[in-house]
Amino acid sequence: MNSVLLIFIDGLGLGRRDSACNPLARFAPRVLNCFSDRLGPFPRAGICLPTDVQLGVPGLPQSATGQATLFTGANAAALLGKHLSGFPNGALRALIEKESVVLRLKKAGYSVSFANSYTPSFFQKRPRWVSVTTVVCESADLSFNLVEDVRAGRSLFMDYTNRFLRDRGYDVPERSPKQAAAILAHHAATFDFCFYEYFLTDWAGHQGDSEQQLQILTNLDEFLAEIVELLDLSTTSLIVTSDHGNIEETQHAKHTANRVPTILWGPIQRLVEGRTALDLTEIAPLIRASLEPGRSR
Ligand SMILES: [Zn+2]
């Protein structure tokens, strides 16, 4: 039985291999070894396909439309006629509620989990604007993981090290990248489709502190390398992708128009044989095709 783990990294594009502007060029990444002029090598025969996030719509690619596209397979930017930043508006929420890959998989009988956890404040004082992944979960009636799941090692917070939670007074253990990876691999193994969202990359890109960016990326690379080691790639496909570029250009604090990496491991690679590039609308259909081998795409 095939399964899929999607790790969505916000704001990570393919930049030049130049240590003056790209923090990924300041160390030797094992997994995030992807640049506009060189892709890989990747551990365990991973492959990387540069992925277009511009999708024929002028302006810098943004999170709300990019993530709505990633999770539905529809060109959300074309639907709105522009790239929308931040949180989904009514039109994007309606799109997600109708077309989300998570909803479709659940309706088809697959078990699905969002590995991220939510703090009590989300439920006590619900934010007026919520993320694409929150709409994805609510529209498919997924249960939310909580801080106690983080404490018990059953799920991860968006900052998988737990430093963010600990700084805010939560009683949770700090996790190394390897420990966090083991938790995610274990969590993912009990579902047909599991997804995890990491957005400190985009946040750090906007902050513009190059040392902070380097630290986040070296830590994230260690986390991803351990995940790749732990998964059973004979039956589990791993997708690492992004919604738009940002952190790969440290000389400014804006998004970029660069293509993003889509790194693939496991059985899903068979579905992209002969391909040299993707666009962001293709990820959701690939997830479905990996789980439903008989389904025509
Ligand atoms: Zn951003």
Side-chain angles (χ1 to χ4, degrees):
M1 188 68 180
N2 283 345
S3 64
V4 177
L5 170 60
L6 167 69
I7 300 180
F8 157 57
I9 299 168
D10 200 320
L12 176 76
L14 291 170
R16 288 188 297 130
R17 194 154 37 98
D18 175 356
S19 59
C21 58
N22 186 348
L24 289 174
R26 293 176 61 192
F27 67 109
R30 284 182 285 169
V31 170
L32 299 174
N33 191 18
C34 25
F35 302 92
S36 52
D37 59 337
R38 192 195 72 194
L39 298 168
F42 302 100
R44 300 191 72 190
I47 58 168
C48 180
L49 296 175
T51 301
D52 172 56
V53 293
Q54 193 75 53
L55 298 170
V57 177
L60 284 177
Q62 300 291 345
S63 286
T65 34
Q67 293 166 26
T69 299
L70 172 63
F71 283 97
T72 63
N75 185 340
L79 179 79
L80 298 189
K82 62 173 184 176
H83 298 280
L84 182 68
S85 67
F87 302 108
N89 61 11
L92 293 186
R93 288 197 301 269
L95 172 70
I96 295 162
E97 284 161 10
K98 192 159 151 264
E99 302 281 342
S100 138
V101 63
V102 169
L103 183 66
R104 285 170 180 231
L105 289 173
K106 267 205 84 180
K107 280 186 176 167
Y110 292 95
S111 61
V112 182
S113 175
F114 184 39
N116 291 62
S117 298
Y118 288 71
T119 58
S121 62
F122 174 83
F123 304 99
Q124 287 155 3
K125 190 173 183 296
R126 184 187 167 85
R128 183 153 176 267
W129 294 95
V130 296
S131 68
V132 164
T133 43
T134 297
V135 180
V136 165
C137 289
E138 290 186 330
S139 57
D141 202 21
L142 293 195
S143 54
F144 288 105
N145 291 297
L146 308 171
V147 172
E148 46 261 44
D149 297 304
V150 175
R151 189 180 301 122
R154 289 189 294 262
S155 73
L156 298 179
F157 195 62
M158 63 87 178
D159 167 22
Y160 55 78
T161 68
N162 287 342
R163 281 180 212 135
F164 181 97
L165 288 174
R166 288 168 63 84
D167 288 348
R168 283 152 189 80
Y170 288 97
D171 174 26
V172 288
E174 186 160 337
R175 308 261 192 229
S176 69
K178 282 192 169 187
Q179 289 170 327
I183 291 168
L184 181 57
H186 189 255
H187 181 98
T190 55
F191 295 94
D192 297 317
F193 176 55
C194 175
F195 59 112
Y196 177 65
E197 174 177 29
Y198 185 80
F199 61 79
L200 291 183
T201 29
D202 189 55
W203 174 82
H206 290 304
Q207 293 292 307
D209 177 340
S210 60
E211 290 312 307
Q212 183 180 53
Q213 292 167 354
L214 179 64
Q215 193 188 21
I216 281 177
L217 288 169
T218 49
N219 195 290
L220 179 64
D221 190 63
E222 200 180 333
F223 170 75
L224 294 170
E226 185 69 8
I227 292 270
V228 171
E229 283 308 313
L230 291 174
L231 294 181
D232 177 359
L233 298 179
S234 66
T235 55
T236 303
S237 296
L238 173 62
I239 308 170
V240 174
T241 192
S242 183
D243 52 351
H244 55 73
N246 181 344
I247 198 169
E248 78 282 5
E249 289 185 8
T250 206
Q251 66 272 37
H252 62 81
K254 292 187 300 192
H255 291 181
T256 71
N258 292 331
R259 292 189 292 177
V260 302
T262 296
I263 322 175
L264 303 168
W265 288 264
I268 199 170
Q269 289 184 345
R270 288 200 286 269
L271 301 173
V272 295
E273 258 171 39
R275 299 290 304 273
T276 55
L278 294 173
D279 74 54
L280 199 59
T281 65
E282 296 185 271
I283 308 295
L286 280 170
I287 293 167
R288 292 179 65 199
S290 307
L291 291 169
E292 308 168 23
R295 204 180 73 85
S296 58
R297 286 173 56 216

